[in-house]
Amino acid sequence: MSSSYESCLVSRLSRFVDLTEHECAFIAELEKDEHPRQKGRPVVSVGDPTDGIMVLKSGWAVVKYDTSDGRSQILRVYLPGEVMGLAEIGSSHANHRIVMQTDGIICPFPRKGLAPMFSDYPRLAALLLAVGSLDQIALRHHAGCLGAMDATDKLKFFLLQLRSRLEVANVGLGNRFQVPFSQVEIGQAVGLTSIYVNKLLRSFVNAGEIEIERPYVRLLARDKWEKDVEFVDAFVDMDTTWFPSALDPGPIGKLDTAEPA
Amino acid sequence: MSSSYESCLVSRLSRFVDLTEHECAFIAELEKDEHPRQKGRPVVSVGDPTDGIMVLKSGWAVVKYDTSDGRSQILRVYLPGEVMGLAEIGSSHANHRIVMQTDGIICPFPRKGLAPMFSDYPRLAALLLAVGSLDQIALRHHAGCLGAMDATDKLKFFLLQLRSRLEVANVGLGNRFQVPFSQVEIGQAVGLTSIYVNKLLRSFVNAGEIEIERPYVRLLARDKWEKDVEFVDAFVDMDTTWFPSALDPGPIGKLDTAEPA
DNA sequence: CGTTATCTTGATACGCCTCAACGCAGGTGG
DNA sequence: CCACCTGCGTTGAGGCGTATCAAGATAACG
């Protein structure tokens, strides 16, 4: 809201609650540095000590898991505006790798900022817990997808979910959207071989259900697909009614005392 | 801590940090009623409005997901002492079903207790976020298991992880442990047919790698298995160094004012 | 313009599912 | 006490879905 140069976390969280000026200022202060990252560059490596959370201001990132036989899979896709690192915050070291999938900008929110957040801005802390809970729901859907669907439905589900999440992020952009993944990577995300992904995509095209103009995809039979896979969009509603009140703790300057150098 | 009749959440969370007397009292107060639940009884049904979190004081519970064609899968297993409901706390309605897998006792922690927790006991709030983050790691491992392993490794992983988590809960109970699941249910958990689960289990027995005395299982080749599937135990270390300090807010009576009828 | 990733397509192999049947235990009612 | 039923475990035969292997076409790139 208002001034204080539109932080990425602020815009992300404002989707759910109306942040007070104090809350906005607190966030913006702690997240003022932006780090550009090129496609393919690591954001978090396995074994890294965890240091707070990060906001993906622009670009896409993915969570990867590598096995010793050289394979790797994609466990999670982060879209612009999403909060990364909530899964690793409880462990001292990262279990998984986070990599930029496209060029982008990340805003680290250092861990030393978390303690004052919990003490002075309880509503923000609650918001963070709620965001983490949505992450869990997303992961459950993914696990459900991997465990119970056949290859065709896995692919359909993957594309439907991408589209749906992009719509939430960018607000209503229809059935055409960008998919910055190679077929190999799509295979890693849905647990299939790249070559079978290819055959399925081609069959979708031949059936007139999608159009592909790399890197864009258009879903021509979205309604049918959503029935096919019983698609439910889990990212629509957040329940914020249980949140504590904002309780602004005083003048904005208060923040300075929270970082005792 | 001391007195104040050993709450289940207290004992669960004490594993990670030393709770102050105030913190213990706050938790114990809000969670004083215990609800026994019989095996098979629902704990949360799809579409239920979410109402806070629950502690599984005793018994096992599972998160299930049902598809319209009658299949269902098991997305998560909760062991005694674990916190349930952190995944649904961000949504207004539950996406998945939670069912008792054995007889047990659950302690609801109503949502109206969460707001005062965030306001007055910031360290407990941080703890909750960290627990949720461990849940996410568990789910990622599960998804990785479903997406990348063949049937043999999935089953081995399932048993290894169960054993490991039971060891954390009960502290060092060796290679023999209880598995209160039918083969159908094991299949639902690892994404296989019950009948293929059966064949694999039998082959393990024939190979001398496990012993089965229902409902107990003994892993005779645990080391070999852990190498086979590259097993890593993700539940060992929680990082609590970033937590805010406990800041006890005053006399314990303070709690009463937090529940204005 | 070579070099390397990525996509495409076909032939073949095999892992796991499906279907079918039986044994066994526990519960229920006659 | 027996007849029945239902749920779970066990085992085999056969088939389908997806991986694997191989090779060429295309596109990205320095």
Side-chain angles (χ1 to χ4, degrees):
Chain A
M1 56 172 295
S2 64
S3 55
S4 73
Y5 73 118
E6 193 57 8
S7 130
C8 10
L9 229 199
V10 167
S11 64
R12 172 67 178 170
L13 298 182
S14 294
R15 178 174 303 287
F16 304 118
V17 297
D18 283 328
L19 298 173
T20 68
E21 202 167 338
H22 287 271
E23 287 170 335
C24 287
F26 176 82
I27 294 174
E29 174 68 18
L30 276 160
E31 173 220 315
K32 55 172 169 279
D33 39 25
E34 305 185 344
H35 293 250
R37 281 276 194 292
Q38 290 183 339
K39 169 179 178 175
R41 289 298 165 79
V43 178
V44 171
S45 301
V46 174
D48 278 4
T50 54
D51 184 40
I53 58 180
M54 296 150 289
V55 182
L56 185 58
K57 178 152 190 172
S58 67
W60 296 33
V62 295
V63 178
K64 290 203 173 189
Y65 174 61
D66 311 292
T67 50
S68 65
D69 61 348
R71 298 165 189 267
S72 65
Q73 36 182 332
I74 293 176
L75 298 175
R76 174 85 157 94
V77 177
Y78 287 114
L79 301 185
E82 294 191 322
V83 179
M84 305 187 289
L86 276 174
E88 14 275 318
I89 210 174
S91 321
S92 53
H93 298 278
N95 286 269
H96 304 280
R97 207 156 55 92
I98 304 184
V99 189
M100 293 305 296
Q101 180 66 23
T102 69
D103 291 352
I105 299 174
I106 65 177
C107 304
F109 190 109
R111 85 195 308 172
K112 70 171 188 288
L114 290 172
M117 169 187 267
F118 275 92
S119 302
D120 301 336
Y121 299 90
R123 199 172 66 146
L124 292 180
L127 199 41
L128 219 52
L129 186 70
V131 170
S133 125
L134 294 187
D135 278 357
Q136 268 196 64
I137 298 295
L139 272 168
R140 280 192 188 170
H141 275 106
H142 187 223
C145 167
L146 292 178
M149 291 180 182
D150 66 5
T152 307
D153 286 359
K154 282 182 190 173
L155 237 192
K156 288 182 180 175
F157 186 88
F158 176 75
L159 292 173
L160 285 172
Q161 193 180 16
L162 259 192
R163 192 211 69 83
S164 167
R165 290 175 56 201
L166 283 169
E167 189 166 68
V168 172
N170 294 13
V171 189
L173 59 128
N175 289 325
R176 181 185 149 96
F177 55 99
Q178 198 165 2
V179 183
F181 295 101
S182 72
Q183 293 182 348
V184 174
E185 290 162 336
I186 296 177
Q188 293 172 346
V190 298
L192 296 173
T193 311
S194 68
I195 144 175
Y196 201 59
V197 168
N198 179 314
K199 288 174 182 173
L200 289 173
L201 285 178
R202 283 264 310 134
S203 78
F204 291 157
V205 171
N206 291 337
E209 297 181 336
I210 64 172
E211 283 174 11
I212 301 181
E213 309 163 19
R214 247 171 291 282
Y216 290 90
V217 170
R218 186 195 305 274
L219 303 184
L220 299 173
R222 193 177 108 211
D223 294 343
K224 175 177 171 298
W225 279 19
E226 293 189 342
K227 289 194 192 76
D228 289 348
V229 304
E230 300 179 38
F231 183 75
V232 287
D233 190 350
F235 304 93
V236 281
D237 63 330
M238 176 184 279
D239 183 10
T240 61
T241 56
W242 56 273
F243 283 13
S245 59
L247 57 81
D248 281 323
I252 291 186
K254 170 81 190 277
L255 171 62
D256 302 338
T257 72
E259 280 186 335
Chain B
M1 37 182 306
S2 63
S3 60
S4 73
Y5 73 119
E6 193 58 7
S7 129
C8 11
L9 231 199
V10 166
S11 64
R12 171 67 177 170
L13 298 181
S14 295
R15 179 176 303 285
F16 305 119
V17 296
D18 283 329
L19 298 174
T20 67
E21 201 168 338
H22 288 270
E23 287 170 337
C24 288
F26 175 81
I27 293 174
E29 174 68 17
L30 276 160
E31 173 220 315
K32 55 172 170 280
D33 39 24
E34 304 184 345
H35 293 250
R37 280 278 192 293
Q38 290 182 340
K39 170 177 177 175
R41 291 296 167 80
V43 177
V44 171
S45 301
V46 174
D48 278 4
T50 54
D51 183 40
I53 58 180
M54 296 151 289
V55 182
L56 186 58
K57 178 152 190 172
S58 66
W60 297 34
V62 295
V63 178
K64 289 205 175 188
Y65 175 60
D66 311 293
T67 50
S68 65
D69 61 348
R71 300 165 188 264
S72 66
Q73 36 181 333
I74 293 177
L75 299 176
R76 175 84 157 94
V77 177
Y78 287 114
L79 302 185
E82 294 191 323
V83 178
M84 304 188 291
L86 277 174
E88 14 274 319
I89 209 175
S91 320
S92 53
H93 298 276
N95 287 269
H96 305 278
R97 208 155 54 93
I98 304 184
V99 189
M100 294 305 296
Q101 180 65 23
T102 68
D103 291 353
I105 299 174
I106 65 176
C107 304
F109 188 110
R111 85 196 306 174
K112 70 170 186 286
L114 289 172
M117 169 187 266
F118 274 92
S119 302
D120 301 335
Y121 300 90
R123 199 172 66 147
L124 292 180
L127 200 41
L128 219 53
L129 187 70
V131 170
S133 124
L134 294 187
D135 279 357
Q136 269 197 63
I137 299 295
L139 272 169
R140 281 194 188 168
H141 276 106
H142 187 224
C145 167
L146 291 178
M149 292 180 181
D150 66 5
T152 307
D153 285 359
K154 282 181 190 171
L155 236 193
K156 288 181 181 176
F157 186 87
F158 176 75
L159 293 173
L160 286 172
Q161 193 180 16
L162 259 193
R163 193 211 69 84
S164 167
R165 290 176 55 201
L166 283 169
E167 190 166 68
V168 172
N170 293 13
V171 189
L173 61 129
N175 289 325
R176 183 183 147 96
F177 54 100
Q178 198 164 3
V179 182
F181 295 100
S182 73
Q183 293 182 349
V184 175
E185 290 163 334
I186 296 176
Q188 292 172 346
V190 297
L192 297 172
T193 311
S194 68
I195 143 178
Y196 201 60
V197 168
N198 179 318
K199 287 174 183 175
L200 289 174
L201 285 177
R202 284 265 310 134
S203 77
F204 292 157
V205 172
N206 290 338
E209 297 180 338
I210 64 172
E211 282 174 11
I212 300 180
E213 308 163 21
R214 248 172 291 281
Y216 290 91
V217 170
R218 186 195 306 274
L219 303 185
L220 300 173
R222 193 177 109 210
D223 294 343
K224 174 176 171 300
W225 278 20
E226 293 189 343
K227 288 193 193 77
D228 289 349
V229 304
E230 301 179 36
F231 184 74
V232 287
D233 189 350
F235 303 94
V236 281
D237 63 328
M238 177 183 279
D239 183 9
T240 61
T241 56
W242 56 272
F243 284 13
S245 58
L247 58 82
D248 280 324
I252 291 187
K254 169 81 188 275
L255 173 62
D256 301 338
T257 72
E259 279 185 336

